[in-house]
Amino acid sequence: MTRRTLFITGASTGIGAETARKAVVAGWNVALFARSKDKLDALADKLGTDHALALPGDVTDFEELKAAVDAAADHFGGLNAVFANAGRGLDTAGVENGDPDEWRVMLDLNINGLLYTVKAAYPHLKKAKGHAILTGSVAGKINLPGSIYGASKWFVQGFGGNLSEEMREWGGRCTVICPGMVDTPFFDEAKPDKLKPEDIADAVVYAIQQPDRADVREMVIMPTG
C-alpha cells in the first residue's frame, strides 16, 4: 500500500506532534514544520526517517513555508493532506488591558499563518484531491468577553466553511477541528482534567481516513471535566 503524506504545522509539540505519531501508525508519511529544529529532528528520529521529514521554519513567512511544502511533496512524491495547526494565545485577555503588539503577533500566526499554509499546499492538494485540516476552537463558536483570541478562531471557522466550498469543486475536503481546553504547552500551567493532545490527534486521523464519499466538515471535542 502506498503511504499518503500529511504536512503538519506546529508539529514540534502538543497536538501537532501527537498527530504526527498517530498518522505514522495509521500508515501515513508526515512532514513536520515548526520553528524548533532540535524538537523536529528528535521527533522525526523517533518516528523513523523513512516516514517523517523535519522541516524547520516560520509559518508566518510565506516563502519559507512554501519551500518546505514543496520540499515535502518532492521528498515523498506528493502531498495528500495538510494540517494547519500552528497557533498561539495571548498573555493578557480582553480589549481594555490587551496589548496591540501582542495582538499583531497572534493574528499573524493564527490567521496569516493558516492562510499561508493552505495557499502553499493548495496546488499539491488539488492535484491529489486532498484534504485540509484546520485547528479551530470552541472559542470560535461562542462569545467570550473581549476575547481577541476567540475572534481569531471565529475567522478559522468562517474560512474553513468557505474553503470547503472551494475545494469541493475539484473533489477536495476541508475539516475544522474545534477542541475545548487541551492539556498542552499552549498553557503555562498543566490542565490534567482536560483533553489530551492524543484526543485531538485521533480526530484528525479519523477525518483524513474517511472514504471519498464522506466529507467531515467540522468536529467539536469537549472535555467531560
Side-chain angles (χ1 to χ4, degrees):
M1 181 182 72
T2 302
R3 295 179 78 100
R4 291 174 289 174
T5 298
L6 170 64
F7 186 97
I8 304 170
T9 68
S12 60
T13 61
I15 292 169
E18 193 60 43
T19 299
R21 296 184 186 97
K22 297 273 187 177
V24 168
V25 171
W28 288 68
N29 297 316
V30 291
L32 311 170
F33 188 83
R35 288 179 297 178
S36 176
K37 182 179 186 301
D38 291 346
K39 290 180 181 178
L40 290 185
D41 287 342
L43 180 58
D45 288 343
K46 187 175 293 185
L47 297 176
T49 52
D50 287 346
H51 304 308
L53 176 66
L55 294 163
D58 182 354
V59 76
T60 65
D61 183 327
F62 177 71
E63 294 303 326
E64 194 168 288
L65 178 58
K66 184 178 184 302
V69 169
D70 292 344
D74 288 343
H75 182 83
F76 289 118
L79 189 67
N80 304 91
V82 64
F83 183 23
N85 169 66
R88 60 165 292 168
L90 295 169
D91 291 331
T92 306
V95 174
E96 182 177 9
N97 297 316
D99 180 349
D101 290 333
E102 192 183 15
W103 296 348
R104 189 177 300 110
V105 172
M106 184 201 69
L107 293 172
D108 195 25
L109 179 57
N110 290 10
I111 294 179
N112 289 331
L114 177 100
L115 292 173
Y116 294 165
T117 301
V118 173
K119 176 71 172 176
Y122 200 91
H124 302 289
L125 297 180
K126 191 170 184 179
K127 183 178 180 180
K129 294 186 177 180
H131 202 140
I133 308 285
L134 315 180
T135 297
S137 173
V138 169
K141 297 175 66 64
I142 61 176
N143 294 117
L144 299 168
S147 178
I148 311 300
Y149 169 78
S152 76
K153 292 303 184 179
W154 277 87
F155 175 89
V156 177
Q157 194 76 21
F159 175 67
N162 294 347
L163 183 61
S164 286
E165 292 302 317
E166 181 175 353
M167 292 179 69
R168 74 190 294 249
E169 295 174 358
W170 42 262
R173 294 176 287 184
C174 175
T175 303
V176 179
I177 305 289
C178 303
M181 190 173 286
V182 184
D183 185 21
T184 74
F186 183 90
F187 297 103
D188 293 333
E189 297 180 359
K191 307 290 183 182
D193 62 333
K194 303 304 180 185
L195 294 166
K196 300 298 180 185
E198 52 265 36
D199 301 326
I200 312 307
D202 282 337
V204 175
V205 172
Y206 172 83
I208 61 176
Q209 296 273 82
Q210 291 307 292
D212 292 344
R213 65 180 177 271
D215 186 3
V216 180
R217 294 286 185 99
E218 180 183 325
M219 299 177 74
V220 179
I221 306 99
M222 290 291 291
T224 54

